[in-house]
Amino acid sequence: MKHLVKVIALLLLTGSAFAQEKLPVILPYNYQNIRELYLDTSNHHTAFKPILHVDTSAMYTQEDTTRRSWIYRKLFQEHLLEFRNKEYNVFIDFLPDFQIGKSREGGRTNWLNTRGAIIQANIGSKFYFESSFYENQGKFPYYLDQYIRRNDIVPGQGGIKSYSEGKAFDFNYANALLSYTPNKYLNFTMGYGQNFIGDGYRSLILSDITFSYPYLKVTANLGSVQYTAMWAQFMDKHSKDFAQAYDDLGYYKKWGVFHFLDWNVSKKLTIGLFDAVIWPDADSSGRKRGFDWSYMNPIIFLRSAEFSEGSSDNALVGANAKFKLFPKVTLYGQLVLDEFKLKEVTSGKGWWANKQSWQLGFRAFDIFKVKNLDFQGEYNAVRPYTYSYKSTLINYEHYNQSLAHPLGANFQEGLGIVTYKYKRWYGRGELMYAMYGDDPNPETNYGHDISKPYTTRVNEYGNYIGQGVRTNLLYAQGTIAYVLNPKYNLRVETSLAARRLSNDISKSTDLIFSLGLRSTFRQFYYDF
């Protein structure tokens, strides 16, 4: 990858950093920005997030010239530190996330102590940079506590260390992004963070539920078509023994290459096509493979390249689509094929390698003609063994979490989310029901846990969603917040969540209350 970095560096040096034309930039990922894009009469490319879009935010302009005290402005209007100039802007903020709460299961007192900081900067309209770091200690509700101990991670936030005599966890993580847009046709982004492909709350293609990872992304815009190629490096925490091959230089690595072609067919319809390949950095014997340069060509059919290599790399293909049914109602959907044989699919015999997933949903804005009252409904289904592979060295997973859906595979899910914004008040309600087939013991594999090799499958045929121990999961959450400073989403927030899980082996019910001072637009997924 060294040669590619040199090429990008050359482009950075030769490009004019102070052009005045409006160019695509990284759009900050938050509810209001996304909402505006869906309501715009134009059909924007909204699937690949962070979204590349002509900047319409207030980042490059000075707001509210009314004379206010320094304390008032910093608490309610401005970034902590602001350096504004015609040629550049720099913003620095302190990001607290302090929470205290109670959960009924186990009578636990839960808390979170996060101190974070972020710096955002632009030079002209071509360069954008941001970096953030978070130091955390926390004690979580019982179901999350058990998940964290079992997987050795806090969901989406990396590895853990024992804290407070083993009753809580210490963890930290960082994100970074450097974007360069030499002209209106191209963008180069190097980052350490997450990406998301889709128009839904969940993504079955590539989700942002995981821990940060390094990536390089090239995006091309030509008329109504946007094409993105991304290369990323992931970590396999399951295969700790293989780290010895690198003299304890870290966890075992694997690579991924992703292509996404997004076409605005009309002002109402957008169709996106996706393919990806995951390959190991080294084999199970420790033999180094490294980055495979045959996947470097950004315009390529990955399945053909993978086949021509004579390899058993993990290849997936998929599609994403959205359709603006009405000015304020958008339908969307996804389809992912991990393995596909038409004869086996049409036979209806439930062949184990019929590994597919699909999504259907909608977004409705200003429902009942109430401004800023929005609703989202979504259905997701994933067949058994989807995203799994022969080993975790090559499956669709990073840092012990799926790169797609937090429930893994062998499930179907329905959810509804309602949001409302009034001035600085914000409310959100979510109701989610999922049914999945769990394994009765660690040695059995019915296709729910994608970290288990599909070679340990129970049946060759007769595999259907919900097989194994049928488990019902109901999750509901309500949140009310008052936004103190919209620049970095500093808010006072209170939340109440109810979770009920039941199957023939066990049952659990929990009611979780929390109150806190929170900031940033980070998205964490605890609804599983």
Side-chain angles (χ1 to χ4, degrees):
M1 232 172 181
K2 294 180 181 178
H3 302 294
L4 183 64
V5 173
K6 290 179 181 178
V7 172
I8 293 176
L10 182 62
L11 288 170
L12 295 176
L13 292 173
T14 57
S16 171
F18 306 106
Q20 297 302 311
E21 62 176 320
K22 282 191 174 183
L23 299 176
V25 297
I26 299 297
L27 186 67
Y29 182 72
N30 63 64
Y31 163 76
Q32 192 61 35
N33 282 334
I34 300 300
R35 185 181 193 275
E36 290 176 359
L37 290 185
Y38 279 99
L39 286 175
D40 198 308
T41 54
S42 303
N43 197 9
H44 296 283
H45 297 285
T46 56
F48 212 130
K49 304 175 181 71
I51 291 175
L52 186 65
H53 181 64
V54 174
D55 184 72
T56 57
S57 70
M59 181 169 182
Y60 305 108
T61 60
Q62 181 69 48
E63 293 182 351
D64 191 4
T65 57
T66 305
R67 189 66 180 171
R68 305 280 191 178
S69 69
W70 183 90
I71 295 178
Y72 181 92
R73 287 186 286 111
K74 296 305 173 184
L75 280 177
F76 302 110
Q77 289 183 326
E78 298 179 357
H79 298 277
L80 179 62
L81 297 175
E82 295 189 356
F83 305 93
R84 294 181 182 269
N85 190 283
K86 291 182 179 180
E87 297 178 343
Y88 67 85
N89 295 281
V90 179
F91 307 125
I92 302 174
D93 290 300
F94 170 66
L95 305 177
D97 194 347
F98 305 136
Q99 298 181 55
I100 185 74
K102 194 82 172 178
S103 56
R104 187 173 68 179
E105 189 171 14
R108 298 170 65 89
T109 297
N110 311 307
W111 52 270
L112 180 67
N113 177 13
T114 294
R115 292 87 58 212
I118 186 171
I119 177 171
Q120 299 170 288
N122 74 282
I123 302 177
S125 60
K126 295 192 175 185
F127 289 88
Y128 174 75
F129 165 80
E130 70 176 47
S131 181
S132 58
F133 175 80
Y134 304 88
E135 175 66 28
N136 318 265
Q137 292 84 37
K139 183 178 179 182
F140 295 86
Y142 181 76
Y143 82 97
L144 280 176
D145 181 271
Q146 295 303 297
Y147 178 93
I148 293 168
R149 296 180 189 278
R150 183 170 62 252
N151 294 281
D152 198 34
I153 58 165
V154 177
Q157 300 164 78
I160 58 171
K161 294 181 180 179
S162 180
Y163 183 79
S164 185
E165 299 179 348
K167 298 177 183 178
F169 307 103
D170 183 284
F171 56 101
N172 60 68
Y173 66 101
N175 294 315
L177 182 150
L178 173 62
S179 171
Y180 172 60
T181 308
N183 52 55
K184 65 181 180 179
Y185 302 109
L186 285 173
N187 173 268
F188 301 90
T189 300
M190 299 179 68
Y192 183 73
Q194 303 86 16
N195 292 270
F196 186 99
I197 298 179
D199 291 280
Y201 173 67
R202 310 285 200 190
S203 175
L204 304 180
I205 294 177
L206 180 64
S207 182
D208 57 354
I209 65 174
T210 63
F211 182 51
S212 301
Y213 51 84
Y215 64 89
L216 170 64
K217 186 163 55 178
V218 179
T219 303
N221 291 278
L222 186 61
S224 60
V225 174
Q226 183 180 86
Y227 181 78
T228 303
M230 185 178 78
W231 300 265
Q233 186 184 67
F234 305 114
M235 285 188 282
D236 178 19
K237 289 195 69 175
H238 293 289
S239 303
K240 294 180 181 179
D241 293 341
F242 292 107
Q244 301 300 322
Y246 298 128
D247 298 322
D248 294 323
L249 292 180
Y251 293 109
Y252 191 88
K253 308 295 192 299
K254 51 187 171 183
W255 298 88
V257 55
F258 305 83
H259 296 152
F260 185 69
L261 176 67
D262 205 40
W263 176 32
N264 286 336
V265 182
S266 67
K267 289 187 176 181
K268 290 189 175 184
L269 177 64
T270 298
I271 297 176
L273 300 177
F274 161 85
D275 62 359
V277 168
I278 307 293
W279 73 93
D281 192 54
D283 59 27
S284 58
S285 64
R287 182 174 58 88
K288 184 77 171 179
R289 177 179 175 183
F291 185 83
D292 193 329
W293 287 92
S294 63
Y295 295 130
M296 193 64 245
N297 189 336
I299 305 175
I300 193 172
F301 293 101
L302 290 178
R303 189 61 175 174
S304 300
E306 182 261 342
F307 181 78
S308 65
E309 285 290 298
S311 73
S312 57
D313 295 341
N314 187 8
L316 298 89
V317 297
N320 184 85
K322 69 173 182 180
F323 180 75
K324 185 171 286 189
L325 185 64
F326 303 111
K328 295 186 178 182
V329 177
T330 299
L331 306 178
Y332 61 85
Q334 289 185 337
L335 175 65
V336 174
L337 304 178
D338 195 354
E339 299 280 352
F340 183 81
K341 285 188 178 181
L342 182 61
K343 179 181 178 181
E344 295 289 357
V345 171
T346 57
S347 71
K349 295 180 180 180
W351 186 44
W352 73 271
N354 286 341
K355 299 190 292 179
Q356 300 106 34
S357 58
W358 55 93
Q359 176 188 87
L360 183 63
F362 69 92
R363 293 175 179 263
F365 302 96
D366 298 334
I367 59 175
F368 306 122
K369 297 184 179 181
V370 178
K371 186 178 180 181
N372 292 321
L373 178 62
D374 304 333
F375 181 75
Q376 182 175 8
E378 186 172 297
Y379 171 77
N380 298 289
V382 180
R383 280 187 49 79
Y385 308 109
T386 306
Y387 308 118
S388 65
Y389 213 69
K390 296 177 182 178
S391 82
T392 56
L393 305 177
I394 197 173
N395 70 338
Y396 206 63
E397 189 179 45
H398 166 61
Y399 226 77
N400 290 5
Q401 279 194 285
S402 169
L403 286 169
H405 198 288
L407 287 176
N410 190 18
F411 74 88
Q412 53 183 335
E413 170 197 52
L415 61 87
I417 299 173
V418 60
T419 58
Y420 179 62
K421 184 176 180 294
Y422 177 73
K423 295 183 179 179
R424 295 202 176 194
W425 287 96
Y426 175 76
R428 180 184 185 275
E430 176 187 351
L431 180 63
M432 184 272 283
Y433 168 76
M435 183 278 292
Y436 62 89
D438 207 351
D439 297 327
N441 54 66
E443 292 74 32
T444 307
N445 182 10
Y446 280 100
H448 173 60
D449 185 351
I450 70 170
S451 65
K452 293 182 177 181
Y454 60 57
T455 53
T456 62
R457 58 188 178 271
V458 175
N459 301 309
E460 194 75 12
Y461 288 91
N463 296 282
Y464 303 101
I465 293 177
Q467 66 181 16
V469 180
R470 183 186 174 98
T471 302
N472 297 295
L473 172 62
L474 183 65
Y475 182 91
Q477 183 182 38
T479 301
I480 298 177
Y482 182 79
V483 179
L484 300 173
N485 192 323
K487 290 295 185 183
Y488 53 102
N489 201 20
L490 179 66
R491 63 199 185 276
V492 178
E493 179 180 292
T494 182
S495 173
L496 182 65
R499 181 181 183 272
R500 185 177 187 275
L501 184 143
S502 62
N503 55 38
D504 292 338
I505 298 176
S506 64
K507 294 182 180 180
S508 66
T509 302
D510 205 355
L511 191 65
I512 306 160
F513 170 78
S514 68
L515 176 68
L517 176 68
R518 311 192 65 191
S519 63
T520 81
F521 297 100
R522 296 173 299 161
Q523 176 71 49
F524 298 136
Y525 300 85
Y526 296 152
D527 49 352
F528 60 87

